[in-house]
Amino acid sequence: FRWQVPAHFNLAEVCAARWARSTPQAVAIRYEHEDGRRATFTYADLQANADRLSNALARLGVQRGDRVAIVMPQRFETAVAHIAVAQLGAVAMPLSMLFGPDALEYRLQHSEAVVAIVDESAIANLRAARPQCPALRRVVAVGDAAGQGDVDWDAALAAERSGFTAVKTKADEAAVLIYTSGTTGPPKGALI
């Protein structure tokens, strides 16, 4: 057995863009909050929002290879953020919303993340960690965290167009950076 890996590969293309082109009204995400709120999002919804966020992040200076922290639970905006970061050729860095300020500070410093996308579940801890993270240029506040970052998600996406051409990334370029738990020493970054 041998994988047939193309020279160029972008996660955003295979996870969203191709589906948005071929089956735009197909359901991409079904969401249910613990309080009972429900929503359904199509591939067209996912792609349009990812395009707007890619444009917004580019306006904030995010470039190919930059690390972007995504500090949110599973919600529509989390999926949008991953697709948008991949389209830019940047590196998505998912971080647990349960991390305290010290855990966030270590990972943000070590990775040299330039932007963090965070919702109400972790905004207080991220704000506490931020002064020790000089590379972190901008915080995008999502949901009920609005007004507590540098840029509010809704306003940023509303100001952007929905078209975006994904960066033509190579199959062996970094796409995701995850960290080990740090139980046997400092957390270690694992680049995917």
Side-chain angles (χ1 to χ4, degrees):
F1 177 79
R2 187 170 178 172
W3 289 105
Q4 299 299 317
V5 179
H8 291 91
F9 183 85
N10 189 295
L11 289 174
E13 172 62 26
V14 297
C15 292
R18 68 178 175 167
W19 299 104
R21 284 191 306 273
S22 65
T23 57
Q25 296 311 308
V27 174
I29 297 173
R30 291 184 198 280
Y31 173 79
E32 184 173 343
H33 192 274
E34 59 191 20
D35 67 9
R37 287 180 286 152
R38 295 176 181 203
T40 301
F41 302 96
T42 66
Y43 280 101
D45 297 329
L46 177 60
Q47 189 63 49
N49 280 274
D51 287 351
R52 286 184 176 95
L53 182 58
S54 290
N55 285 315
L57 291 173
R59 190 176 305 282
L60 293 175
V62 175
Q63 299 177 11
R64 186 180 196 148
D66 282 345
R67 274 76 59 216
V68 177
I70 301 171
V71 195
M72 295 187 286
Q74 293 186 28
R75 57 187 292 166
F76 178 65
E77 294 87 350
T78 305
V80 168
H82 279 280
I83 299 301
V85 171
Q87 288 187 146
L88 283 165
V91 179
M93 187 174 66
L95 296 174
S96 174
M97 64 185 191
L98 301 177
F99 283 153
D102 292 342
L104 287 171
E105 176 188 327
Y106 179 85
R107 289 158 177 86
L108 291 168
Q109 269 190 359
H110 187 265
S111 69
E112 298 178 338
V114 299
V115 169
I117 302 171
V118 60
D119 73 356
E120 62 277 2
S121 66
I123 189 69
N125 288 333
L126 188 119
R127 287 175 55 142
R130 188 176 185 184
Q132 289 72 245
C133 304
L136 187 61
R137 296 188 308 252
R138 296 283 185 266
V139 173
V140 178
V142 179
D144 290 338
Q148 299 178 63
D150 302 307
V151 178
D152 287 341
W153 174 282
D154 289 340
L157 270 64
E160 299 295 342
R161 60 183 176 80
S162 65
F164 187 86
T165 301
V167 171
K168 189 174 179 182
T169 51
K170 293 185 177 181
D172 60 355
E173 277 186 71
V176 179
L177 174 61
I178 57 174
Y179 275 84
T180 61
S181 64
T183 54
T184 59
K188 293 157 196 71
L191 203 54
I192 300 169

